[in-house]
Amino acid sequence: MRKFLDTLYNAAGYAAAGFIVLICLVVSAQVVLNLITKIFGAAYSMTIPSYADFAGFSLAAASFLALAYTLNAGGHIRVTLLLQTFGRIPRLGAELFSLALGAGLSGFATFYMIRLNYESYDYGDLSTGIIAIPLWFPQLATSTGLALLTIAFVDLFVATLKAGEPVLKNMEQE
């Protein structure tokens, strides 16, 4: 199970990186097209239809798909100043409380994002750009990222409980 979850988190991280590359490609291509227009005049004016929509959807996908990977890697900002003053048992309790709270909040967000995703599909919602994209499609990446984050929180909670000590590495100590 551990190998499967790590593979899942890594796959989401790679997908997020792919969306970042897609943003760079789309925006760079539009910048080149804008330069062509500036150099050769309006007769050569070209644009990528809905490029801002594609970049925005890709940004949302990258942001949410990266959450579980980043949490599992210990890359999220953690306030350790207070935790360092705790003894072993209080620190474990605070860690478990934080992970349970994170799992609950991300589970709540996941539930409502999936509902929104379904409603967009059910009502046939479309983006307002030049190219009308069914909104359920880009929302699917957001729902998937939140679901993976919830799984990662539960996974870390169980691992911390089993280990009897925090399993997340403090990034400042590495």
Side-chain angles (χ1 to χ4, degrees), residues 1-11 72 155:
M1 185 65 150
R2 172 83 269 133
K3 186 174 171 58
F4 172 74
L5 288 175
D6 287 341
T7 302
L8 193 62
Y9 302 148
N10 287 337
N72 195 48
D155 176 31

PDB file of all heavy atoms in Angstrom, residues 1-11 72 155:
ATOM      1  N   MET A   1       0.825  -1.199   0.000  1.00  0.00           N
ATOM      2  CA  MET A   1       0.000   0.000   0.000  1.00  0.00           C
ATOM      3  C   MET A   1       0.869   1.262   0.000  1.00  0.00           C
ATOM      4  O   MET A   1       0.530   2.238  -0.645  1.00  0.00           O
ATOM      5  CB  MET A   1      -0.929  -0.058   1.215  1.00  0.00           C
ATOM      6  CG  MET A   1      -1.915   1.066   1.260  1.00  0.00           C
ATOM      7  SD  MET A   1      -3.067   0.999  -0.110  1.00  0.00           S
ATOM      8  CE  MET A   1      -4.471   1.724   0.587  1.00  0.00           C
ATOM      9  N   ARG A   2       1.982   1.205   0.747  1.00  0.00           N
ATOM     10  CA  ARG A   2       2.866   2.373   0.840  1.00  0.00           C
ATOM     11  C   ARG A   2       3.412   2.742  -0.542  1.00  0.00           C
ATOM     12  O   ARG A   2       3.444   3.898  -0.923  1.00  0.00           O
ATOM     13  CB  ARG A   2       4.015   2.046   1.819  1.00  0.00           C
ATOM     14  CG  ARG A   2       5.119   3.053   1.900  1.00  0.00           C
ATOM     15  CD  ARG A   2       4.813   4.221   2.821  1.00  0.00           C
ATOM     16  NE  ARG A   2       4.183   5.306   2.119  1.00  0.00           N
ATOM     17  CZ  ARG A   2       3.097   5.964   2.536  1.00  0.00           C
ATOM     18  NH1 ARG A   2       2.506   5.651   3.642  1.00  0.00           N
ATOM     19  NH2 ARG A   2       2.586   6.947   1.855  1.00  0.00           N
ATOM     20  N   LYS A   3       3.851   1.723  -1.279  1.00  0.00           N
ATOM     21  CA  LYS A   3       4.411   1.970  -2.617  1.00  0.00           C
ATOM     22  C   LYS A   3       3.346   2.548  -3.548  1.00  0.00           C
ATOM     23  O   LYS A   3       3.630   3.476  -4.309  1.00  0.00           O
ATOM     24  CB  LYS A   3       4.981   0.669  -3.173  1.00  0.00           C
ATOM     25  CG  LYS A   3       5.703   0.829  -4.493  1.00  0.00           C
ATOM     26  CD  LYS A   3       6.358  -0.474  -4.896  1.00  0.00           C
ATOM     27  CE  LYS A   3       6.924  -0.472  -6.276  1.00  0.00           C
ATOM     28  NZ  LYS A   3       7.902   0.503  -6.586  1.00  0.00           N
ATOM     29  N   PHE A   4       2.122   2.042  -3.457  1.00  0.00           N
ATOM     30  CA  PHE A   4       1.031   2.542  -4.292  1.00  0.00           C
ATOM     31  C   PHE A   4       0.751   4.011  -3.994  1.00  0.00           C
ATOM     32  O   PHE A   4       0.618   4.824  -4.911  1.00  0.00           O
ATOM     33  CB  PHE A   4      -0.230   1.704  -4.079  1.00  0.00           C
ATOM     34  CG  PHE A   4      -1.446   2.282  -4.753  1.00  0.00           C
ATOM     35  CD1 PHE A   4      -1.590   2.194  -6.132  1.00  0.00           C
ATOM     36  CD2 PHE A   4      -2.421   2.932  -4.011  1.00  0.00           C
ATOM     37  CE1 PHE A   4      -2.704   2.743  -6.763  1.00  0.00           C
ATOM     38  CE2 PHE A   4      -3.535   3.485  -4.634  1.00  0.00           C
ATOM     39  CZ  PHE A   4      -3.676   3.385  -6.010  1.00  0.00           C
ATOM     40  N   LEU A   5       0.656   4.361  -2.699  1.00  0.00           N
ATOM     41  CA  LEU A   5       0.367   5.755  -2.333  1.00  0.00           C
ATOM     42  C   LEU A   5       1.498   6.687  -2.753  1.00  0.00           C
ATOM     43  O   LEU A   5       1.240   7.773  -3.278  1.00  0.00           O
ATOM     44  CB  LEU A   5       0.102   5.868  -0.829  1.00  0.00           C
ATOM     45  CG  LEU A   5      -1.223   5.284  -0.347  1.00  0.00           C
ATOM     46  CD1 LEU A   5      -1.308   5.338   1.173  1.00  0.00           C
ATOM     47  CD2 LEU A   5      -2.401   6.011  -0.970  1.00  0.00           C
ATOM     48  N   ASP A   6       2.741   6.255  -2.534  1.00  0.00           N
ATOM     49  CA  ASP A   6       3.868   7.094  -2.958  1.00  0.00           C
ATOM     50  C   ASP A   6       3.868   7.285  -4.471  1.00  0.00           C
ATOM     51  O   ASP A   6       4.149   8.379  -4.969  1.00  0.00           O
ATOM     52  CB  ASP A   6       5.195   6.488  -2.494  1.00  0.00           C
ATOM     53  CG  ASP A   6       5.409   6.633  -0.997  1.00  0.00           C
ATOM     54  OD1 ASP A   6       4.739   7.497  -0.386  1.00  0.00           O
ATOM     55  OD2 ASP A   6       6.228   5.879  -0.444  1.00  0.00           O
ATOM     56  N   THR A   7       3.545   6.223  -5.211  1.00  0.00           N
ATOM     57  CA  THR A   7       3.453   6.328  -6.672  1.00  0.00           C
ATOM     58  C   THR A   7       2.341   7.288  -7.070  1.00  0.00           C
ATOM     59  O   THR A   7       2.499   8.092  -7.990  1.00  0.00           O
ATOM     60  CB  THR A   7       3.216   4.934  -7.293  1.00  0.00           C
ATOM     61  OG1 THR A   7       4.293   4.072  -6.912  1.00  0.00           O
ATOM     62  CG2 THR A   7       3.145   5.014  -8.803  1.00  0.00           C
ATOM     63  N   LEU A   8       1.212   7.211  -6.363  1.00  0.00           N
ATOM     64  CA  LEU A   8       0.079   8.095  -6.636  1.00  0.00           C
ATOM     65  C   LEU A   8       0.453   9.558  -6.386  1.00  0.00           C
ATOM     66  O   LEU A   8       0.172  10.426  -7.216  1.00  0.00           O
ATOM     67  CB  LEU A   8      -1.102   7.687  -5.756  1.00  0.00           C
ATOM     68  CG  LEU A   8      -2.473   8.251  -6.066  1.00  0.00           C
ATOM     69  CD1 LEU A   8      -2.927   7.819  -7.450  1.00  0.00           C
ATOM     70  CD2 LEU A   8      -3.469   7.778  -5.011  1.00  0.00           C
ATOM     71  N   TYR A   9       1.104   9.828  -5.254  1.00  0.00           N
ATOM     72  CA  TYR A   9       1.526  11.200  -4.936  1.00  0.00           C
ATOM     73  C   TYR A   9       2.538  11.709  -5.964  1.00  0.00           C
ATOM     74  O   TYR A   9       2.464  12.861  -6.400  1.00  0.00           O
ATOM     75  CB  TYR A   9       2.146  11.279  -3.543  1.00  0.00           C
ATOM     76  CG  TYR A   9       1.266  10.810  -2.414  1.00  0.00           C
ATOM     77  CD1 TYR A   9       1.812  10.208  -1.286  1.00  0.00           C
ATOM     78  CD2 TYR A   9      -0.123  10.952  -2.455  1.00  0.00           C
ATOM     79  CE1 TYR A   9       1.016   9.781  -0.247  1.00  0.00           C
ATOM     80  CE2 TYR A   9      -0.924  10.517  -1.418  1.00  0.00           C
ATOM     81  CZ  TYR A   9      -0.352   9.928  -0.313  1.00  0.00           C
ATOM     82  OH  TYR A   9      -1.142   9.489   0.720  1.00  0.00           O
ATOM     83  N   ASN A  10       3.479  10.850  -6.350  1.00  0.00           N
ATOM     84  CA  ASN A  10       4.483  11.249  -7.340  1.00  0.00           C
ATOM     85  C   ASN A  10       3.848  11.514  -8.705  1.00  0.00           C
ATOM     86  O   ASN A  10       4.222  12.464  -9.394  1.00  0.00           O
ATOM     87  CB  ASN A  10       5.578  10.190  -7.461  1.00  0.00           C
ATOM     88  CG  ASN A  10       6.507  10.182  -6.265  1.00  0.00           C
ATOM     89  OD1 ASN A  10       6.641  11.172  -5.557  1.00  0.00           O
ATOM     90  ND2 ASN A  10       7.137   9.050  -6.016  1.00  0.00           N
ATOM     91  N   ALA A  11       2.891  10.665  -9.092  1.00  0.00           N
ATOM     92  CA  ALA A  11       2.204  10.869 -10.373  1.00  0.00           C
ATOM     93  C   ALA A  11       1.470  12.207 -10.378  1.00  0.00           C
ATOM     94  O   ALA A  11       1.495  12.935 -11.382  1.00  0.00           O
ATOM     95  CB  ALA A  11       1.228   9.726 -10.641  1.00  0.00           C
ATOM     96  N   ASN A  72       3.268  15.200   1.336  1.00  0.00           N
ATOM     97  CA  ASN A  72       4.004  13.964   1.587  1.00  0.00           C
ATOM     98  C   ASN A  72       5.511  14.203   1.639  1.00  0.00           C
ATOM     99  O   ASN A  72       6.231  13.521   2.360  1.00  0.00           O
ATOM    100  CB  ASN A  72       3.666  12.928   0.508  1.00  0.00           C
ATOM    101  CG  ASN A  72       4.098  11.548   0.889  1.00  0.00           C
ATOM    102  OD1 ASN A  72       3.843  11.092   1.998  1.00  0.00           O
ATOM    103  ND2 ASN A  72       4.759  10.865  -0.027  1.00  0.00           N
ATOM    104  N   ASP A 155      -3.356   9.282   5.438  1.00  0.00           N
ATOM    105  CA  ASP A 155      -2.165   8.429   5.378  1.00  0.00           C
ATOM    106  C   ASP A 155      -1.128   8.873   6.412  1.00  0.00           C
ATOM    107  O   ASP A 155      -0.585   8.054   7.163  1.00  0.00           O
ATOM    108  CB  ASP A 155      -1.600   8.479   3.966  1.00  0.00           C
ATOM    109  CG  ASP A 155      -0.308   7.702   3.793  1.00  0.00           C
ATOM    110  OD1 ASP A 155      -0.107   6.696   4.492  1.00  0.00           O
ATOM    111  OD2 ASP A 155       0.502   8.100   2.925  1.00  0.00           O
TER     112      ASP A 155
END
